[in-house]
Structures are given as structure tokens and as C-alpha cells.
Amino acid sequence: MKTELGTPVYAPAGVGHLRGTESFPDAARHELANTQLRRNLANATATIRAKREAAVAEVPDWEQLRLAGSAIKAQTMARLPELLVQLEQQVQARGGVVHWARDAAEANSIVIDLVRSTGAEQVVKVKSMATQEIGLNEALADAGIAALETDLAELIVQLGEDTPSHILVPAIHRNRAEIREIFLRAMPGVDPQLTDDPHRLAMAARQFLRRQFLSAQVAVSGANFAVAETGTLAVVESEGNGRMCLTLPETLITVLGIEKLVPTWRDLEVFLQLLPRSSTAERMNPYTSMWTGVHPGDGPQEFHLVLIDNGRTAVLSDEVGRTALHCIRCSACLNVCPVYERTGGHAYGSVYPGPIGAVLSPQLTGTSGHGDPNASLPYASSLCGACFDACPVRINIPELLVHVRAKVVDAERGGAPSGQDLAMKAAGWAMGSPGRFAAAEKAMGVGRVAGHSGRISALPWPGSLWTASRDLPTPPKQTFRQWWAQRNQGEG
Ligand code: SF4
């Protein structure tokens, strides 16, 4: 695929919910062997973590803001159908066109038709997780349309024929020497004397991108928020590339996950405080672009909003799991996660890496049990709870991880009761009456087994399922009941 500059433009190699067929433990093993990657990640996440903590500490009512963000999201999910209809009406009333897409294929075909109708062969893009999720770049490439990422980190990933590894810093796994090498190899018109000085690298990208912005007819964006009350879309960013994409081309196509709604402008106020401090550790993000429909002679004259479901309705139907849809993609949970810090984002094999990816991706796609690579994601956590503490909208990710693990187990056994279920049922029955409990104790010989080392390290099946990975404390020589009976006898 060629851009107008005759530049080969590569779509990122990995898209969709899951890139490979490797489970998380297998993929993590490969990533852990990459010492350069681990060094880059450790440096980057430690720096972002410290900055975020300082930025958050400046806000005395941070906890109240988090509670407000959580409540607004919960209310939005509860009213999602009516709010979506309100958004559609407001966008249409202001000259925009709304399209509904059930899945990735439908969304891609809508965007392709829209681009084709303009006659453009190239689009500029603002970084968008939703378009990565649906594999839009690849679909456009198959249709003969080149999609150029304009966010600096996304551009590095794209020119490097690589895949993003972080929600906010997609090229976090690359250091500046690697970036220089990528630019020299893949960026047209680049100065061959380019050094790895960060300023020089940024200027090279700026020069290249500026030419693309000025010639683009069509832009494709995501959006951080959509206000149902007014039909306004909002993109927050740091580089100004978003502002260029959203204002210069004649046609703007925005792809939005249906969960990105907020009911009113007042609600937006809460998230515009929570997001920048949690993501880039800034008090306010440098660029906040908002647009409502179209305005004659000002900005894009054609605006299309593509609303995608792609599994979200299914997540919404799960009262516990739906809180994963509250995510505002700040990436704070990634930066505090000890698992992410060591493996990086590629090991998750999902567009959404880290703790939020571990609970969102398997829910969006569903899982068929432990053979499914997506099913390994909710186990990619130590359940330490750091992600919950960092999350600006108080998503209880540890609780969700356990919930999604249970769904994986249910999917695996296909409705049939597991050995654990049967054991629990039997234990419940035995413990349901003092007589049955005493009989069970007697039958199991509890109280008569004397331990030597104090631990039992091997039991016959089904106990072996437990002792294969853990020891059991040896039961005491005497049960409580035996002790009680003996004591009372002595007193009598
Ligand atoms: S789950 Fe919370 S912390 Fe993680 S990216 Fe989403 S909003 Fe940010």
C-alpha cells in the first residue's frame, strides 16, 4: 500500500481481540526472555507511576471524584439504550450521520463504503483502540485504502510493522535507538543523519506527518467520550495530531464503542479531571477537542459516527462483568500491575492489555474454556489489588478477575458439575446435621491420623488434585467434638 508520498504504509500486524493462539503463560515466557523489553518496561512504568501518584496527590477530593466517576458510569450502563438513542438524535439534528454496527465486520464495511464514497485512497487516523479492536487498518488495506496512524507512538509501531503493547504508550517496548532505526528504515524523506536524540526523532515525525495532514481528505478517529445530551464527541490527546485530523480533512469518520457515553456535559467535567492525571499524570491534557455535528465553512463538512457493539451488549447483560465497560482507558492499571511490568503488553495477545484487558477481552469475545487462549487472561494476575487502587473509576478488577475465571471454568465443563462442585455438595450435606457430620468424621478417620512432619504432601485421587501443587496441614489427633466430650467427662 502506498500513501500519496509514495510511502509504504503498513497496517499494524496484530489486530482484533486476540492476535495469536498462544496462551498467556506461553507468550509471557517468550516476552520474559527479552531483557531489553523488561528494562524498557521497568523504566517506563516506574516513571509513569511516580508521576501519576504526584499528580493525584495534588487533588484533595480525588476519592470523591473517583466515586462520582464510578456512579456516572454505573448510571450510564443502566440507561444505555435510551442514552444511545438520545445521542443519535442529537448528532443527526446537528448534521451528522449515525451508523450502527453489530460487529467488527459490519463496522469495517461501513467505514470502507464511506471512504470509497469520497474517492480517497488514504485516510489519516487518530489513535483509537476501537479501530484496533475491529482490525480497521487491515480491512482498509484489503480494500485498497491506506490508513496512516498519526499519534507518534502509533506511527512508530506502524512503521516498525509491530503491534502496540500499551494502551497509552503503544511503543513503550521500544527505546530511542530502536525508534531511530525504524525511522531510517521506513520513514520516507527522513534525514539519513538522524540521531536518536528524542527532539530530533520527534521533529522528523512532525515533518513527515505535517505533509500527510495537509493532503488528507478523510480522517478516522475514535473518541474518549460522547455526550448524549448534545451529541458532542470528545478526544483528549497530547500531541496535537488529533486536532489536525479532526479539523483539516473534509470528511470525519468516528468509530465509537457504545459504552463511551456520558449522559450530560456536567458528567464530562468529572472525567476530564480523572483521565489526564491517571493517564499521562498531567493536570490537564494539552489538547481537548470537542465537536458537535458539522458547521458550514468550519472543520469537516461531513461527519459520520459509527457506533459499535462488537460484544458489548453481552458484557452489559452480566451485572458483575459489566463494570469492565466503565473503563476510560487511562492505563493506570497497567502501570501498577506487577505482571504487566514484567511481561509487557504483547503477552496478553489482546488489543486491551494489562489488568483491564484480562477482564475485558475474554468477556467481549466469550471463551470456550481453558483450551481457548483468551481464557488464560483472567489468570494473568496475582490479585494484589493495585489495579483497583489506581483505577480512576474504581473498577474492582480483582473481583472481576475472579468472576471471569469462574466463567472460564463454567465454559470448560459445559454445565456438568465439576469434581469440586460434587465435593462441596457432599460437604454441605454432611455439615448440614450434627449426626451426619460426626458420622463423616468417623468415616474419614479425622482425628486419628497422626502427622509426623506436620504436612501432608501426597493424597490419593481426588485429594491429589490439591496436593499436586500444595501441602495440607496434618489434621489434629483429636477432633473438637472428641476433645469436648473428653473435657466434659473429666469435669463430670
Ligand atoms: S480499568 Fe481503570 S485504571 Fe485500567 S485503564 Fe480502565 S479506567 Fe484506567
Side-chain angles (χ1 to χ4, degrees):
M1 184 62 50
K2 303 268 184 194
T3 66
E4 288 174 5
L5 295 176
T7 319
V9 170
Y10 303 101
V15 290
H17 286 303
L18 195 73
R19 286 188 287 266
T21 52
E22 260 186 332
S23 67
F24 179 83
D26 290 340
R29 219 164 279 128
H30 297 155
E31 300 297 326
L32 287 169
N34 184 342
T35 49
Q36 177 70 58
L37 170 82
R38 291 178 63 180
R39 244 194 317 272
N40 293 357
L41 277 169
N43 283 339
T45 52
T47 308
I48 301 175
R49 261 200 314 269
K51 281 188 176 173
R52 189 196 71 90
E53 269 169 34
V56 164
E58 288 180 348
V59 184
D61 60 349
W62 184 253
E63 280 312 307
Q64 281 72 23
L65 275 172
R66 287 179 81 209
L67 286 165
S70 171
I72 293 167
K73 280 291 178 183
Q75 191 214 24
T76 304
M77 293 308 137
R79 298 175 50 213
L80 198 55
E82 65 172 278
L83 291 173
L84 283 166
V85 171
Q86 189 185 12
L87 177 76
E88 180 184 40
Q89 288 165 349
Q90 293 303 320
V91 170
Q92 285 171 344
R94 289 162 173 80
V97 184
V98 177
H99 309 260
W100 297 83
R102 272 168 293 205
D103 55 25
E106 231 171 63
N108 288 334
S109 107
I110 290 168
V111 177
I112 289 167
D113 288 347
L114 289 172
V115 178
R116 278 192 177 140
S117 71
T118 67
E121 292 180 348
Q122 179 188 332
V123 300
V124 285
K125 281 188 70 209
V126 194
K127 177 180 177 304
S128 149
M129 306 288 304
T131 60
Q132 275 170 31
E133 176 190 318
I134 60 175
L136 180 64
N137 285 13
E138 286 70 11
L140 286 170
D142 289 345
I145 300 161
L148 179 74
E149 296 290 348
T150 64
D151 171 88
L152 177 56
E154 283 290 338
L155 180 68
I156 294 165
V157 167
Q158 188 174 45
L159 293 179
E161 297 179 64
D162 197 357
T163 50
S165 64
H166 190 278
I167 289 178
L168 194 73
V169 199
I172 198 170
H173 55 290
R174 296 287 194 190
N175 61 24
R176 59 193 196 177
E178 292 173 299
I179 294 167
R180 171 181 174 269
E181 188 273 320
I182 290 169
F183 281 7
L184 285 175
R185 178 163 42 83
M187 184 182 281
V190 75
D191 177 3
Q193 306 303 318
L194 183 69
T195 68
D196 66 4
D197 171 43
H199 179 72
R200 294 277 308 272
L201 293 171
M203 286 305 106
R206 187 173 192 251
Q207 211 173 20
F208 169 68
L209 288 172
R210 190 57 64 109
R211 292 196 296 268
Q212 310 291 327
F213 290 133
L214 293 174
S215 62
Q217 279 174 265
V218 181
V220 176
S221 84
N224 295 92
F225 305 102
V227 184
E229 176 182 55
T230 56
T232 304
L233 280 295
V235 164
V236 298
E237 40 118 10
S238 302
E239 297 170 16
N241 63 304
R243 178 70 56 83
M244 293 282 202
C245 288
L246 299 167
T247 53
L248 290 176
E250 274 295 294
T251 302
L252 173 61
I253 303 168
T254 299
V255 179
L256 186 83
I258 55 172
E259 81 282 20
K260 291 292 186 74
L261 255 68
V262 292
T264 67
W265 267 89
R266 283 297 297 274
D267 300 324
L268 200 55
E269 168 197 332
V270 172
F271 296 105
L272 291 181
Q273 292 177 77
L274 287 170
L275 182 55
R277 287 181 195 263
S278 302
S279 53
T280 48
E282 289 165 307
R283 291 174 178 151
M284 193 182 164
N285 42 282
Y287 294 89
T288 301
S289 301
M290 297 187 191
W291 68 101
T292 310
V294 291
H295 302 272
D298 181 14
Q301 295 302 293
E302 221 181 289
F303 169 54
H304 296 271
L305 177 62
V306 183
L307 293 168
I308 58 166
D309 183 324
N310 208 29
R312 286 159 175 78
T313 307
V315 183
L316 196 64
S317 67
D318 179 335
E319 275 184 30
V320 179
R322 70 164 63 156
T323 53
L325 296 177
H326 296 186
C327 176
I328 56 173
R329 312 274 191 266
C330 72
S331 76
C333 58
L334 277 66
N335 301 326
V336 297
C337 177
V339 177
Y340 176 88
E341 184 179 333
R342 281 154 187 85
T343 65
H346 288 156
Y348 293 80
S350 157
V351 166
Y352 303 106
I356 185 60
V359 292
L360 185 59
S361 299
Q363 290 200 87
L364 286 173
T365 56
T367 81
S368 53
H370 282 300
D372 173 355
N374 242 355
S376 64
L377 290 178
Y379 295 90
S381 169
S382 64
L383 299 180
C384 69
C387 46
F388 174 49
D389 294 340
C391 179
V393 286
R394 290 178 56 89
I395 300 175
N396 193 334
I397 297 177
E399 182 187 81
L400 280 178
L401 286 162
V402 173
H403 177 70
V404 182
R405 285 178 191 184
K407 288 173 93 166
V408 168
V409 172
D410 287 346
E412 185 183 44
R413 61 171 202 244
S418 66
Q420 190 181 13
D421 287 341
L422 295 173
M424 288 297 161
K425 241 191 178 101
W429 179 82
M431 290 177 179
S433 105
R436 286 202 294 268
F437 189 63
E441 275 184 343
K442 207 167 177 183
M444 289 170 67
V446 175
R448 278 184 272 127
V449 181
H452 299 293
S453 64
R455 316 291 301 169
I456 297 173
S457 52
L459 280 173
W461 192 91
S464 60
L465 296 173
W466 178 272
T467 54
S469 53
R470 306 166 186 85
D471 286 349
L472 261 186
T474 309
K477 288 180 186 168
Q478 194 177 37
T479 68
F480 173 78
R481 286 155 173 277
Q482 288 165 343
W483 171 82
W484 185 258
Q486 196 181 35
R487 177 178 178 274
N488 288 343
Q489 208 175 28
E491 279 179 359

